Amino acid sequence: MMLAIDPTQKNSFKRQISNGDLVIVYERHDIMKPVKVCEGSELQNRFGVFKHSDWIGRPFGSKVLSSKGGFVYLLAPTPELWTLALSHRTQILYIADITFVVSYLEVIPGCLVLESGTGSGSLTTSLARAVAPTGHVYTFDFHEQRATQAREDFEKTGVSSLITVGVRDIQGEGFPDEFCGRADSVFLDLPQPWLVIRSAGKMLKQDGVLCSFSPCIEQVQRSCETLTTSFTDIRTFEILLRTYEVREVTLEHGGADDIGSPGPSLPCKRRQRSHGSTNGVEKSGSSVPMANPCGESRGHTGYLTFARLKCV
């Protein structure tokens, strides 16, 4: 869903596209582009020319045609789609890791979440949706230009009222003292997270949860050693996701063996019946949906280490 910019409103899904809205132009599962709708503007791609004026008033999810008959879909910028379409200023977290982080950090509406660093804002956007409408995400990045670009992106996606972006070297300075004992959860994506664990512990409420994302196991080991001083229930996970592509396959000669199906062949008559034969004559060229593992499935992204602050 799209988040309302007005913090007094609950999460609301805009059903129709308006002038000035951000839409995700979907060409195929691996080609998407965020576009701001502007009456009088056009989008040109390999499918033709698309006039923005034709989009206004249509519901999100619409299929729109170009001047030469090509088409794209206009989708609402959910955090999941934004993760796939955003500009990568840094390495980002993807949906599998993000959903696990939001769940294991126990982020619910009304929570106060601290994050460092902001990076491309992929996780930040999902955290904002999770804490809405009354919670808030405070995210910090030491790189001023990245922080500025992140603010602009949050404005585009309509979550800026739920996120405050700060410029701060959290590894060197720690989190600001104003958050002491106020944070429900803390997320770290830093080269040396063990330097911030003590500061993060001061920010958390009793029984609050911390998560640290690290690509290397040596970072995990050092972080875990530091966590044992004031945290408990320390766990590390690696999330591996295998995706499948569903597409139509044309069967020639009606045999299951023609598409590499495992297992023994069906008897000839049974094959004919199962593929819709008429009067014992087999139909050729029938299409069936097939699900195959994607060759580009992502493997290791990083390790997620969670820990709960000890109650004193």
Side-chain angles (χ1 to χ4, degrees), residues 250-264:
T250 301
L251 299 181
E252 298 295 338
H253 309 301
D257 294 339
D258 295 331
I259 55 172
S261 176

Side-chain angles (χ1 to χ4, degrees), residues 197-198 200-210 224-234 306-312:
I197 288 173
R198 184 177 179 183
K202 292 179 180 179
M203 302 302 114
L204 285 168
K205 296 177 181 178
Q206 289 295 317
D207 205 38
V209 185
L210 174 145
C224 288
E225 290 173 0
T226 308
L227 283 167
T228 54
T229 58
S230 54
F231 287 82
T232 186
D233 192 22
I234 302 169
F306 295 86
R308 189 177 297 275
L309 186 66
K310 291 180 182 177
C311 292
V312 179

